[in-house]
Amino acid sequence: MLLAAPIFGGNTLKTALRLVMILSGALCLAGLVWLAVSPAQAIVVGILGWGAAGPIVFLLLANMFGRVQAETREPPAP
């Protein structure tokens, strides 16, 4: 998610998507790094990254791609 985040920028929806993607990716990486220190806490951080922020990212992506499809659809020829 961290590598895809810079692609999205512009309006409010894309900016929110980019920020939540960065947050989710950072939480996932922090959970991975934290495994060496405290595995129990690392699991909680990882769950926050994928279980809390992940679904928000996917909902924002679905909303954004739904809008793109509706904007680019051409009316049928008569």
Side-chain angles (χ1 to χ4, degrees), residues 13-29:
L13 176 64
K14 291 179 181 179
T15 303
L17 176 62
R18 183 178 66 231
L19 291 175
V20 176
M21 287 179 91
I22 291 170
L23 174 70
S24 176
L27 283 172
C28 290
L29 283 178

Side-chain angles (χ1 to χ4, degrees), residues 16-72:
L17 176 62
R18 183 178 66 231
L19 291 175
V20 176
M21 287 179 91
I22 291 170
L23 174 70
S24 176
L27 283 172
C28 290
L29 283 178
L32 185 64
V33 171
W34 201 263
L35 275 172
V37 178
S38 174
Q41 291 176 349
I43 291 172
V44 172
V45 174
I47 288 173
L48 286 175
W50 278 110
I56 295 170
V57 168
F58 301 136
L59 288 173
L60 288 172
L61 276 172
N63 190 354
M64 188 193 68
F65 286 133
R67 288 182 183 193
V68 170
Q69 182 181 12
E71 291 174 2
T72 58

